[in-house]
Amino acid sequence: MSAEEPTFERFLQALRGTNPFRSHRITDVGGGEATVESIHKNAFTKLTRVVQDAAKEPTSIGALLIGAPGVGKSHLLARLFQWAGEDKATVVYLHNILASPERMLRYVLNATVSDLAGHRGSDYTQSRLYTILNRALIRTGAFKGRKMMTGPKEIEARKEALARLGAKIDPQNAVIPVLNAFLTGTSHASLGDPSAEKRAQAAVLWLSGETLGPDEARLLDQTRLLDQAAGEDGLSLPDDAAVERVLHVLSHLCALAELPLVLCLDQVDNLDPDAVRALMSYAHALLDRAKHLVVIVSGVKQSMLSLRTGEVIPAAAWDRIAERILELHMISPEEARAILAGRLDAALSGFEEKEIEEVIAARKRDRLFPLGSEWLERRLDGVQELRPRDAILWARDRWEAQQDRLATVGGKRWLKEWPGPGADPKPHAAKLEDVIDVEVRKKLEEGKNRRRLQQASLPPDEDNLASLTHRLLSRCAGKANATLLGIEHLTAKKRGKAPAYHLLAKERRADGVIVTTGVTFLCAPSGHGARTPLQRMAEDTKHTDKRILVTDEERRPLRLGGAGKAAYDALGKLGRQRFLHLHLDFAGHAELDSLVGLLGAAKSQDLEIEHPRGQYRKVTEDEVIASFQRQSLLLAHPLLRELLTEEIVKGGTDSVPPPPWDPQQTREHVMAELSWRLGLMARELAQIFASRKKVPEKRFPEVWSHIKKTAQALHDEGLVHATATDDDLFVQLRGRK
């Protein structure tokens, strides 16, 4: 018998290690989590009808999705995403959209194009953007050839067809030529042309609102644009009107491909008022001027109404984004039962398919095994309505109780005496601060994992990095335990030079001296784009005592031309006490995003804990900040530590030695374990792996981390689907539900 063959003992092992009810929040709208179609059916039907209406008519529609925390808003958006994936629509899910108000629209474009094109430029043929362009040409009849033909003649024919189609939807001929550079570059790259791949990458950068230097601009083969590219600022979308134009063309092409574009702006009430006002104003403008576009704005009902009554969202913008209002309500006890049954069916189907007699017999006796129908009836006694989140949390606790009993009495006795004692064991009392700290740590890790698994959802962006850092540090300024006195976010005026820095911080050293620090974030894709910011930093001799340069070392390492190198060398001569270059990797960016996301969830009253167990309470922003301080979570980040302690820290991440286990064997282990089950938590995969390898218990965290990294790599390759759940990953084979 192979180690992977399912048996009753392996079922018990799965029961001990996995809890299908751990996740009560949607962290990945593209995940394979089981859903129940009858839940919020009317709202879902209305939402799909909105998308279908926008596909048919040359108009754009705003939809407002509201409800109490935990009522299922993100789950509904996840169902929409899954529905759209069945050849229905192009859904772009934008969460925690944070940028300075002046650059909010540009960041929305950056995130949208990044999502459509993907973050791996070496394989754009698999991107949604490539599919949309080809499908639009075929569905409109502009291209008569066969879809999969990629010979030179077919590529040229598609280029000409897109140009003809563009004359109707882009009369200024400003966007279609660049989309054509992407289309032809991607096609030729699939034939092994490395220069064509660079052309496609340059097109994606321009469409995202990035700045190109002369070399990148020449790749686009747009002679009329080269003069602009040779200038000081390089080639980029000059203003908000140009940004809007790209989104308009994309939405029109999606409609022609019969895959209408849907922008989901989830949890917008997590943002600060200025960011909400800017985002909603831009959404209003897009809806007024675009065609075939749907913008869905989602948030907690109370918070969204407060933003409206407080005029953070102007009346005109509200009327447009709330053209269709969908409000989700509590669910009935019968619907709660259906949710639990659906998750159990998905979790246990693999064991029933393999005809494990004990599991089949138990499921015939009680479809809610191993939770139990009697247990649920007791929990629902006297309950008229409840949130989906409540039902899932109850089931999580019940599953854990069964795990405890299984560990106590063993598998055979557990099954024989199931469902066991009538009441769930009472948990030990815990201090409020400890419960908050545990939840904050789990959600922080969940946020980082989610971004790692969906890197395209967090593109490299200077203003986003500055906004995230400012949001966190502004909550710490003036506190007794920090040297930071104040933090200012500097943004470029509509006319005039851009400031030398994104952030300006004032700190008080231990000797009482006030130190001013300027922070510049640099994510330029070319040496041309890095030149001017570095020169501004080098030339500033009056405003700062220290200068910090932060670069995205993993995705956009600093590239220097002659002038840029001269400026960088001049900064380096200032000495380490006056100039610091911090090399930020993707994990560092994701950590900033996750920290801010936790504050946002608390702000919109969507961060909850159980204290005591079974009683839910909101966690406030102040409580989250206090937890950050107790656990030194902000000080753990190299950039935040530098601005909170007035001490020099080394840039980058400490190198970690490679794991002693063969990577290929680890991959085979993960795939083999998943081959006969719906899915497993990475922790359980690590437990099985550690047991087989006889790894000492003290090294289990190392094994767990190794398994999670392997799962993330397999996810990137499209072999598995991993979903961030608290501090763990739920891993499934692709294509299995």
Side-chain angles (χ1 to χ4, degrees), residues 28-35 82 346 678 721-723 730 732 736-737:
D28 174 13
V29 293
E33 186 176 279
T35 59
Q82 293 164 10
L678 175 85
H721 188 94
T723 304
F730 181 65
Q732 302 168 279
R736 297 191 63 176
K737 299 292 182 182

Side-chain angles (χ1 to χ4, degrees), residues 10-19 22 399 403 406 661 666 669-670 673 677 680-697 699-708 728-729:
R10 294 300 300 277
F11 164 72
L12 295 176
Q13 187 179 31
L15 183 62
R16 294 186 186 102
T18 301
N19 189 335
R22 276 188 67 183
W399 190 283
Q403 288 175 323
L406 177 60
W661 306 289
T666 308
H669 161 75
V670 172
E673 290 299 321
R677 283 192 277 190
L680 288 169
M681 302 302 296
R683 175 183 281 276
E684 184 186 0
L685 285 164
Q687 289 168 341
I688 299 170
F689 185 85
S691 175
R692 290 179 183 164
K693 297 291 185 181
K694 296 181 171 52
V695 179
E697 185 176 349
R699 294 191 64 190
F700 179 75
E702 185 181 350
V703 177
W704 189 20
S705 175
H706 176 60
I707 291 293
K708 284 194 283 189
D728 207 352
L729 300 177

Side-chain angles (χ1 to χ4, degrees), residues 3 24 60 109 200 213 278 292 306 374 395 419 430 466 484 488 496 509 529 539 544 658 687 708 726 735:
H24 57 84
S60 294
L109 175 68
H292 305 290
S306 296
E374 290 186 8
L484 185 66
E488 185 180 0
R509 288 196 322 220
E539 292 166 0
T544 59
Q687 289 168 341
K708 284 194 283 189
D726 290 338

Side-chain angles (χ1 to χ4, degrees), residues 399-412:
W399 190 283
E400 289 178 359
Q402 292 296 333
Q403 288 175 323
D404 292 342
R405 180 159 178 78
L406 177 60
T408 301
V409 304
K412 292 183 179 179

Side-chain angles (χ1 to χ4, degrees), residues 222-277:
Q222 297 301 305
T223 306
R224 64 190 181 83
L225 299 177
L226 292 181
D227 290 341
Q228 180 192 344
E232 179 179 319
D233 296 328
L235 174 63
S236 65
L237 299 171
D239 50 31
D240 285 346
V243 173
E244 278 191 30
R245 191 178 300 118
V246 175
L247 287 167
H248 295 171
V249 172
L250 289 175
S251 65
H252 208 140
L253 283 168
C254 287
L256 293 175
E258 298 177 8
L259 295 169
L261 181 61
V262 182
L263 299 182
C264 291
L265 308 179
D266 194 16
Q267 300 178 5
V268 299
D269 46 335
N270 288 6
L271 304 176
D272 285 339
D274 287 345
V276 173
R277 184 179 293 108

Side-chain angles (χ1 to χ4, degrees), residues 563-584:
K565 187 177 185 305
Y568 185 82
D569 290 344
L571 288 167
K573 291 177 181 178
L574 296 174
R576 191 165 175 77
Q577 295 300 319
R578 297 179 60 197
F579 172 69
L580 177 64
H581 182 183
L582 281 176
H583 302 82
L584 203 65

Side-chain angles (χ1 to χ4, degrees), residues 331 336 339-340 375 386-396:
I331 61 172
I339 289 175
L340 302 190
W375 159 80
L386 68 160
R387 304 179 305 170
R389 183 182 296 177
D390 296 330
I392 294 170
L393 289 171
W394 292 349
R396 179 202 63 188

Side-chain angles (χ1 to χ4, degrees), residues 243-438:
V243 173
E244 278 191 30
R245 191 178 300 118
V246 175
L247 287 167
H248 295 171
V249 172
L250 289 175
S251 65
H252 208 140
L253 283 168
C254 287
L256 293 175
E258 298 177 8
L259 295 169
L261 181 61
V262 182
L263 299 182
C264 291
L265 308 179
D266 194 16
Q267 300 178 5
V268 299
D269 46 335
N270 288 6
L271 304 176
D272 285 339
D274 287 345
V276 173
R277 184 179 293 108
L279 183 57
M280 293 300 96
S281 295
Y282 284 128
H284 178 196
L286 281 174
L287 288 167
D288 274 353
R289 293 193 277 267
K291 296 178 180 179
H292 305 290
L293 173 68
V294 177
V295 176
I296 301 172
V297 175
S298 175
V300 174
K301 179 181 179 181
Q302 182 179 349
S303 301
M304 293 300 297
L305 293 179
S306 296
L307 292 170
R308 171 64 192 96
T309 56
E311 297 186 349
V312 173
I313 302 178
W318 178 273
D319 291 343
R320 196 65 175 91
I321 64 173
E323 183 179 349
R324 311 277 180 92
I325 298 179
L326 299 93
E327 181 176 355
L328 301 190
H329 301 282
M330 301 283 200
I331 61 172
S332 68
E334 292 75 18
E335 290 173 317
R337 172 185 285 273
I339 289 175
L340 302 190
R343 286 211 184 184
L344 287 172
D345 287 345
L348 302 180
S349 61
F351 296 102
E352 292 182 308
E353 289 171 2
K354 296 297 181 179
E355 298 185 353
I356 299 177
E357 294 179 3
E358 296 90 339
V359 178
I360 294 173
R363 293 273 284 165
K364 284 182 178 179
R365 280 190 292 149
D366 190 333
R367 203 62 191 168
L368 291 186
F369 170 84
L371 301 179
S373 296
E374 290 186 8
W375 159 80
L376 184 58
E377 291 303 321
R378 290 196 305 271
R379 291 305 309 250
L380 291 172
D381 185 30
V383 175
Q384 300 298 317
E385 59 180 14
L386 68 160
R387 304 179 305 170
R389 183 182 296 177
D390 296 330
I392 294 170
L393 289 171
W394 292 349
R396 179 202 63 188
D397 293 348
R398 175 63 173 175
W399 190 283
E400 289 178 359
Q402 292 296 333
Q403 288 175 323
D404 292 342
R405 180 159 178 78
L406 177 60
T408 301
V409 304
K412 292 183 179 179
R413 182 179 169 187
W414 169 79
L415 184 62
K416 181 180 179 180
E417 297 178 355
W418 184 86
D424 294 340
K426 293 183 179 179
H428 298 292
K431 290 175 57 179
L432 175 61
E433 289 183 351
D434 292 342
V435 175
I436 292 174
D437 288 350
V438 168

